[in-house]
Amino acid sequence: MENYSYNKKKPGSVFIISAILVFLFVLWGVVSPQSLANTADYLLGVTIENFGWFYMLVTAFFIAFVLFLAISPFGKLRLGKQNDKPEYSYYTWVGMLFSAGIGVGFVFWGVAEPVLYYMDPPPGIAAETTEAARMGLRYSVFHWALHPWAIFSLVALALAYVQFRKEQPALISSAFYPLIGKKVDSWYGRGIDVLAVLATATGVATTFGLSAIQITGGLSFLTPIPNTVITQMVVIFIVTILFIFSAASGLNRGIRILSVTNLTIAGILLLFMIIFGPTLFIAESFVTTLGGYISNVIPMSLTMNPFSGSVWLGAYTIFFWAWHISWAPFMGLFIARISRGRTIREFVFGVLLVPSVLGLIWFTAFGGTALHLDITGGHQIAEVVSSNVELALFATLAELPLGGLMSGIAVILILIFFITSADSASYVLGAMTSRGSLNPYMYVKVVWGFLIAATASVLLLSGGLQGLQTASIIAALPFAVIMVFMTISIFMMLNTDLQTERKKKQEKQLDKLKEEIREEVYEDIKEEVKEEILEEINEEETMKETENKKNL
């Protein structure tokens, strides 16, 4: 396994096909951005109208499935060999989970999302009311807690299991061996991998675009630098160059160091918000949002509003589900890479619960503070969000003590998140297009870095934030179907291995019982033989004594 996975492998047909397709997409955006925007809008309408129900249903199913794996006997199985131990400490592991890219979403939407829902609440709720504020926090947590991490953990579990226990390459197609057998090495498997790469490229490009938008928004808030598409292009280019230096240092040095740094800075920013913000209001919002989330997560997960014809779900919930699904191959392979040696139960609860709790704390702290400032202080945060969503965080920090300093720290945090995302994404896409090698060639990672940067750029040029959202929703649909079949394959694989484990355990117990019985029988025979020998000796001695008496 060590030699197979970590040896460098030349990229194959998956790299060539997927890179060409992404390049053609970029070329389309450069040559005719309006045509790209019109086509994307049409496909978006078709996808939401016909498959919105599918996104809602499968994300709820994924949560149920991974929780079932964790609490069932399958949870005892290990992601690796029986004696494998975790490679990273728990703190480092959680830091890498958080900063692999999803942290960008926390920072970008932490303030913006609750305020957006306060102004544009779900159907049936009056805008800019106490109930709208409460629902804003609840839906923000809903979009960033269990659902996304269930999606990530499903793909990560499958990849970690086939890599470290089955000794298969780090490819999405490897998880389908129980279903299609040796066809994973044919064009069936390559087709699965190409779709996974395209979904990943789109999801990562969305994050690139969001990061660039927020960085330029922060810079324009703090300095005279204009918040324009040109500035965003420059930021993307600079970060792309910076990530190459991080990628050159490898996973254990580059991403690991940046991840721990990210988690520490994010922790400082969170503590600042809790201490200098409305602390009591945040605490009360935390309890209220937690209770509302737990009691309503099932209805929220399975609500489509078919009678109202509202587009609210498509603009928000379905976008987030699609974005998370498009991130699943990237996050899945990356989480799998850093999770070797953990049991399925430990893995699921770590990946599912810890980030969900962090998300709950983050959104109630940042979103709660913004809502409190807007509702009670008249600071007009909502107006800033409605006109420039990327300025939401900075407008909120500006109303607190040391706001300028913390805004600068926030820009640095976003920048590091951006670099980490680029580094992680180039590594994962390199592995996915290098026949599953966990040590892809540097030039492959660089190619993907530039292609993703170019994709983000054309999406910004053709549609801005809406263009990024549209691309995610459309590209995620094929991979969502793949994930459904992946659950079947995972269950078949785990069930077979669990039966094998039970059989081995039974055989071991039987061997032990046989040994115990053998020892007991041996002891019994030994005692019987000993008694017989003693009796014979006694008889011989008695006979000798009798003969001696006769002789006398």
Side-chain angles (χ1 to χ4, degrees):
M1 176 60 190
E2 294 292 335
N3 292 334
Y4 183 80
S5 293
Y6 290 90
N7 283 345
K8 289 183 180 293
K9 295 179 179 293
K10 291 184 177 180
S13 56
V14 173
F15 172 74
I16 297 172
I17 294 171
S18 53
I20 289 175
L21 290 175
V22 173
F23 175 76
L24 290 176
F25 177 82
V26 172
L27 189 63
W28 182 11
V30 171
V31 174
S32 182
Q34 189 58 49
S35 171
L36 175 60
N38 293 338
T39 304
D41 288 341
Y42 170 75
L43 292 176
L44 174 66
V46 172
T47 302
I48 293 178
E49 182 178 351
N50 295 287
F51 298 101
W53 65 270
F54 177 71
Y55 277 121
M56 298 293 289
L57 190 62
V58 294
T59 50
F61 168 68
F62 294 152
I63 292 180
F65 182 75
V66 296
L67 286 175
F68 162 73
L69 293 182
I71 63 178
S72 70
F74 297 124
K76 298 178 181 179
L77 296 175
R78 191 171 295 276
L79 302 178
K81 304 302 181 183
Q82 194 62 33
N83 297 323
D84 284 349
K85 300 298 180 184
E87 185 177 356
Y88 300 101
S89 69
Y90 205 80
Y91 183 81
T92 301
W93 185 53
V94 172
M96 296 174 84
L97 289 176
F98 184 74
S99 62
I102 204 67
V104 170
F106 277 39
V107 176
F108 188 93
W109 295 105
V111 169
E113 199 173 343
V115 176
L116 280 173
Y117 303 157
Y118 171 67
M119 297 183 295
D120 181 20
I125 305 296
E128 299 185 28
T129 62
T130 301
E131 182 62 18
R134 188 180 299 114
M135 293 297 291
L137 287 175
R138 184 186 303 171
Y139 264 92
S140 299
V141 172
F142 174 62
H143 292 155
W144 292 94
L146 293 177
H147 286 72
W149 294 99
I151 293 168
F152 302 152
S153 63
L154 174 64
V155 178
L157 188 151
L159 290 175
Y161 200 81
V162 297
Q163 285 179 70
F164 304 133
R165 191 177 180 100
K166 298 296 185 181
E167 300 186 354
Q168 295 298 312
L171 300 170
I172 299 294
S173 59
S174 297
F176 286 83
Y177 191 86
L179 280 179
I180 61 177
K182 294 182 178 179
K183 290 182 180 179
V184 296
D185 297 322
S186 68
W187 282 104
Y188 289 95
R190 295 188 189 97
I192 292 172
D193 291 329
V194 168
L195 288 174
V197 170
L198 295 178
T200 304
T202 306
V204 173
T206 299
T207 300
F208 269 42
L210 291 177
S211 299
I213 289 173
Q214 195 169 33
I215 289 174
T216 55
L219 291 175
S220 67
F221 194 83
L222 298 171
T223 69
I225 297 175
N227 184 13
T228 63
V229 175
I230 299 301
T231 309
Q232 294 163 7
M233 301 297 107
V234 173
V235 168
I236 290 176
F237 176 77
I238 293 173
V239 170
T240 303
I241 299 301
L242 290 175
F243 105 83
I244 294 176
F245 292 99
S246 175
S249 61
L251 182 68
N252 284 330
R253 293 185 60 191
I255 299 179
R256 182 176 183 175
I257 294 172
L258 288 176
S259 297
V260 174
T261 304
N262 266 344
L263 189 61
T264 303
I265 297 177
I268 293 171
L269 198 61
L270 179 60
L271 287 174
F272 169 83
M273 186 64 70
I274 294 173
I275 294 171
F276 290 93
T279 307
L280 180 60
F281 181 83
I282 292 171
E284 292 175 346
S285 297
F286 176 86
V287 175
T288 302
T289 304
L290 176 61
Y293 175 70
I294 293 175
S295 59
N296 292 280
V297 64
I298 295 178
M300 292 164 71
S301 301
L302 300 174
T303 297
M304 283 295 297
N305 299 313
F307 301 106
S308 65
S310 172
V311 297
W312 194 91
L313 282 176
Y316 298 114
T317 301
I318 293 175
F319 157 65
F320 282 112
W321 290 174
W323 185 23
H324 299 322
I325 289 172
S326 68
W327 262 83
F330 159 58
M331 287 291 287
L333 199 149
F334 185 77
I335 294 172
R337 168 66 182 84
I338 63 176
S339 301
R340 182 175 188 170
R342 301 187 184 276
T343 64
I344 290 178
R345 183 169 295 122
E346 177 189 8
F347 171 85
V348 169
F349 286 126
V351 175
L352 201 61
L353 297 183
V354 174
S356 295
V357 172
L358 286 174
L360 175 64
I361 297 171
W362 187 278
F363 277 88
T364 52
F366 284 83
T369 299
L371 289 171
H372 184 270
L373 289 171
D374 194 88
I375 295 172
T376 64
H379 292 285
Q380 307 302 318
I381 303 294
E383 290 186 8
V384 175
V385 173
S386 62
S387 58
N388 297 97
V389 67
E390 64 271 18
L391 299 181
L393 173 62
F394 306 104
T396 302
L397 290 174
E399 302 298 334
L400 301 176
L402 304 175
L405 173 63
M406 299 312 295
S407 293
I409 292 176
V411 171
I412 295 173
L413 177 64
I414 299 164
L415 181 62
I416 298 176
F417 269 137
F418 198 169
I419 297 171
T420 310
S421 298
D423 196 345
S424 305
S426 65
Y427 166 78
V428 169
L429 287 168
M432 292 172 68
T433 56
S434 297
R435 308 175 195 271
S437 170
L438 296 182
N439 189 22
Y441 283 101
M442 182 63 188
Y443 79 88
V444 176
K445 294 191 288 184
V446 171
V447 167
W448 279 117
F450 279 108
L451 282 175
I452 297 305
T455 302
S457 299
V458 298
L459 288 174
L460 287 173
L461 286 170
S462 63
L465 178 60
Q466 184 178 353
L468 296 171
Q469 294 174 326
T470 299
S472 288
I473 293 175
I474 297 171
L477 183 60
F479 192 73
V481 177
I482 289 176
M483 287 185 65
V484 172
F485 287 99
M486 184 182 287
T487 61
I488 301 172
S489 185
I490 292 172
F491 181 80
M492 293 171 61
M493 185 164 40
L494 295 180
N495 187 57
T496 300
D497 286 354
L498 184 62
Q499 296 300 325
T500 302
E501 289 281 336
R502 286 176 173 173
K503 187 175 181 180
K504 288 181 179 179
K505 186 177 180 179
Q506 290 174 353
E507 291 176 351
K508 188 176 180 180
Q509 290 175 341
L510 183 60
D511 290 340
K512 184 179 180 180
L513 181 61
K514 287 180 178 179
E515 185 63 27
E516 290 175 354
I517 294 174
R518 188 179 295 112
E519 290 178 358
E520 289 179 3
V521 171
Y522 173 76
E523 290 296 329
D524 291 341
I525 295 175
K526 181 179 177 181
E527 288 297 324
E528 290 179 4
V529 171
K530 183 178 179 180
E531 290 177 2
E532 290 179 2
I533 293 174
L534 288 174
E535 288 179 1
E536 290 179 1
I537 292 173
N538 289 333
E539 289 178 359
E540 289 179 359
E541 290 179 352
T542 303
M543 290 177 63
K544 286 181 180 180
E545 289 178 0
T546 304
E547 289 179 359
N548 290 335
K549 288 180 181 180
K550 288 181 179 180
N551 293 333
L552 292 174

